[in-house]
Amino acid sequence: MTAIGVHLGCSSACVAVFKDGRAEVVANDAGDRITPAVVAYRDNEQIVGVAARQGRVWNSANTVVKVKQLLGRRFNHPETQLHRSQTKCPVKERPFYEITTGEHIKYVAPEDAAKVIFKKMRETAQSALGSNVTEVVVAVPVEFAPAQKKAMRDAAQGAGLNVLRLIHEPAAALLAYNIGQNSSSGRSHVLVYKLGGASLSVTVMQVNGGIYRVLNTHTDPSVGGESFTEALAQHLATEFNTFKHDVSSNARAMLKLMNGADMAKHSLSLLGSANCFVDSLHNGIDFECTVSRARFESLCSSLFSKSVQPIRGLLESVGLSTSDINQVVLCGGSTRIPRLQTMIRDIFPHVDLLSSAPPDELIAVGAALEAGLLVGHDGLGCEEEPMAVDVSATDILVKEVDESGAEVFTTLLPSGTPLPARRHHILTGQGTLSSVSIDVYQRWVSRPPEKLAKVRNSVLLHMNASLVCCRDGSIHVSCVEQSGGRPEVVAIASKK
């Protein structure tokens, strides 16, 4: 039995196979080790990868990009609405993608689009191994809610894969570098810095005897590799104005420039300058321009600052300083940018910056190593298997109203709390009140609190509220009368 690890990101996907005690990324049929997570629908076929991405120039309305942003989310979720405003493929309520092929309209669920990508990953692995593949470990972000994890699992299973486990992306990155697996004792702290195509994620991990614990994580969907590409594309559009043509409002021309800018950006990570050529950019006019690395860094200076700004704040939130970090792991293709690496090294001048492995392959490799452990290929006993401790990805709070009528939030479960966990809270109402209610909220690092549930009681005014957060992220709230110990209300809220 062979096992694989898959990392499905917003902009790309990668598959690694575990064989002969090693995990290796395998190339797709185009010879690329990274496959664009883009699905194009045409008549009776579905195309995944480079061809689908390049076809956006003329088939953008039927091309699904960044499907990961929609997985497991409701139509009215802010991230879903943001996705709707950014994609050319119409998103309808539930949500569904509206696909028009010929005279027919069909509606594609995000899970079905993700299933096509997982199927491509499975076929890539099977082609490399020459045998059937079913066992997989899938990497997911730390902040994924239970509904998102379920949608990811369902998509993989729909592609004919048996999901052995969902592993957090930062834990997979640590496994890929074998961090904490050679020693049975000793505590260390690792910062995992991930800059993917569509978002930035910074996570502080505690490693102790092979156990990984997430202390806190910060995700910023407003900055990613595409942000740098867009900045360069806008510069190229300005350069093209020398031909007296403004293409900044021409969607098709800008897509062509984005493709050219993306290739130039990757070249600038290795070379001091890069040539960008776009065939027939506008009105049959070809465009060619040379961009230096210094010019690129100048264009993206604000993005670089924004990319490293969350690091210190995240460390402060868990009571650590830069000197407390033992290692920094870079993952995500955009961490190849030399300027970004330099800025991170300046923050951690005395810390090992792990960047020797391809950063856009790292998470898939870690997932494959976990898959290998689960199917027992390397002969390790169960007691030696690395463990990932489930923790709360958000702060869990209760809201009350004090005597002056002001709202007061009390944090019962800070983010990073190992799960399952139980907390008690005494709630006392004044005798003039007809009821007492307790509101349960979740709060991300950089977002306002979001209500999960309200428990209202019309009889008891002195309650002992018990909040239990299970490993699957569900929250159970029960209220018991202090004097008699009689349970009055039980409510269950599931984080969305």
Side-chain angles (χ1 to χ4, degrees):
M1 185 185 299
T2 303
I4 64 174
V6 173
H7 176 221
L8 171 58
C10 282
S11 60
S12 62
C14 182
V15 58
V17 301
F18 187 90
K19 185 178 181 181
D20 300 329
R22 296 180 59 189
E24 295 181 348
V25 172
V26 293
N28 57 28
D29 50 5
D32 300 322
R33 294 161 66 90
I34 303 298
T35 301
V38 181
V39 183
Y41 292 85
R42 304 176 189 172
D43 295 334
N44 298 319
E45 63 177 346
Q46 300 149 3
I47 300 173
V48 181
V50 174
R53 184 178 62 184
Q54 293 176 342
R56 289 179 63 195
V57 173
W58 56 269
N59 192 36
S60 59
N62 295 317
T63 303
V64 174
V65 298
K66 301 181 184 178
V67 67
K68 187 179 181 181
Q69 294 178 332
L70 253 62
L71 286 177
R73 284 191 165 128
R74 296 178 178 177
F75 182 75
N76 59 358
H77 193 283
E79 293 295 333
T80 301
Q81 295 303 311
L82 178 62
H83 182 83
R84 287 186 71 203
S85 66
Q86 294 177 341
T87 183
K88 302 296 183 182
C89 186
V91 178
K92 302 300 181 181
E93 191 159 359
R94 192 172 179 262
F96 283 113
Y97 289 102
E98 185 180 82
I99 304 297
T100 304
T101 55
E103 299 179 354
H104 303 285
I105 296 177
K106 62 180 178 179
Y107 296 92
V108 178
E111 292 81 359
D112 290 332
K115 180 177 71 175
V116 177
I117 301 175
F118 273 111
K119 185 178 179 181
K120 178 70 173 181
M121 296 296 97
R122 183 187 180 191
E123 291 173 349
T124 297
Q126 290 180 162
S127 177
L129 294 169
S131 60
N132 188 39
V133 173
T134 57
E135 309 303 306
V136 65
V137 168
V138 179
V140 297
V142 172
E143 69 273 11
F144 251 29
Q148 293 173 283
K149 292 179 180 179
K150 181 181 183 302
M152 185 73 83
R153 182 186 293 272
D154 289 347
Q157 290 175 340
L161 293 166
N162 175 39
V163 181
L164 300 171
R165 177 174 294 173
L166 299 179
I167 185 175
H168 287 150
E169 292 173 352
L174 266 58
L175 273 176
Y177 276 113
N178 199 35
I179 295 175
Q181 302 306 303
N182 293 327
S183 60
S184 58
S185 62
R187 178 180 299 178
S188 63
H189 295 100
V190 182
L191 184 134
V192 181
Y193 184 94
K194 176 178 176 288
L195 186 60
S199 66
L200 165 69
S201 178
V202 187
T203 306
V204 180
M205 306 278 288
Q206 183 184 90
V207 182
N208 191 359
I211 296 178
Y212 300 153
R213 177 184 173 188
V214 177
L215 298 183
N216 208 345
T217 187
H218 171 88
T219 299
D220 185 355
S222 68
V223 60
E226 281 194 4
S227 305
F228 295 88
T229 304
E230 288 172 359
L232 182 54
Q234 289 295 334
H235 167 71
L236 297 177
T238 301
E239 291 292 306
F240 190 70
N241 280 344
T242 57
F243 293 98
K244 308 301 181 183
H245 292 285
D246 183 7
V247 297
S248 58
S249 59
N250 186 315
R252 180 172 292 191
M254 289 306 298
L255 275 175
K256 289 184 176 182
L257 279 181
M258 283 287 290
N259 289 338
D262 191 58
M263 295 176 63
K265 181 187 71 174
H266 285 87
S267 297
L268 289 172
S269 294
L270 301 172
L271 306 172
S273 63
N275 184 61
C276 179
F277 176 79
V278 179
D279 181 43
S280 188
L281 176 60
H282 182 70
N283 286 344
I285 302 175
D286 297 337
F287 173 68
E288 186 173 11
C289 178
T290 299
V291 181
S292 67
R293 179 184 292 178
R295 183 59 173 163
F296 172 72
E297 292 176 352
S298 175
L299 291 169
C300 301
S301 59
S302 61
L303 290 173
F304 287 124
S305 299
K306 187 176 183 180
S307 298
V308 300
Q309 185 272 332
I311 294 177
R312 295 187 186 277
L314 185 65
L315 292 176
E316 291 176 4
S317 71
V318 295
L320 298 176
S321 66
T322 56
S323 60
D324 294 318
I325 299 299
N326 302 95
Q327 292 172 304
V328 176
V329 176
L330 299 184
C331 54
S334 296
T335 58
R336 285 190 173 94
I337 300 176
R339 176 59 181 161
L340 185 62
Q341 291 188 10
T342 299
M343 295 177 74
I344 296 175
R345 282 195 178 94
D346 290 343
I347 297 176
F348 302 97
H350 305 296
V351 178
D352 291 335
L353 193 64
L354 302 182
S355 59
S356 58
D360 45 5
E361 302 176 6
L362 196 64
I363 294 174
V365 169
L369 288 169
E370 177 75 353
L373 290 168
L374 293 176
V375 298
H377 275 291
D378 56 1
L380 289 181
C382 293
E383 69 279 3
E384 298 176 81
E385 179 184 325
M387 296 174 59
V389 179
D390 291 314
V391 299
S392 174
T394 61
D395 293 332
I396 304 299
L397 315 92
V398 295
K399 187 188 78 172
E400 303 170 76
V401 179
D402 63 15
E403 296 179 356
S404 65
E407 295 181 347
V408 179
F409 286 92
T410 303
T411 302
L412 294 188
L413 289 175
S415 63
T417 300
L419 301 180
R422 180 188 297 271
R423 295 292 185 270
H424 295 280
H425 183 67
I426 304 300
L427 188 66
T428 302
Q430 302 177 13
T432 57
L433 297 178
S434 60
S435 67
V436 174
S437 67
I438 179 171
D439 293 350
V440 183
Y441 283 73
Q442 70 175 350
R443 179 178 61 195
W444 302 95
V445 175
S446 58
R447 304 179 191 174
E450 174 186 346
K451 181 184 286 188
L452 294 175
K454 175 190 286 288
V455 180
R456 183 181 296 277
N457 185 276
S458 58
V459 180
L460 305 177
L461 297 182
H462 302 281
M463 296 190 297
N464 185 346
S466 176
L467 184 146
V468 177
C469 189
C470 299
R471 284 191 175 93
D472 63 0
S474 62
I475 299 174
H476 301 248
V477 182
S478 60
C479 300
V480 181
E481 183 183 18
Q482 280 190 282
S483 58
R486 178 172 58 89
E488 181 65 25
V489 178
V490 177
I492 299 177
S494 180
K495 294 187 293 181
K496 298 298 182 184

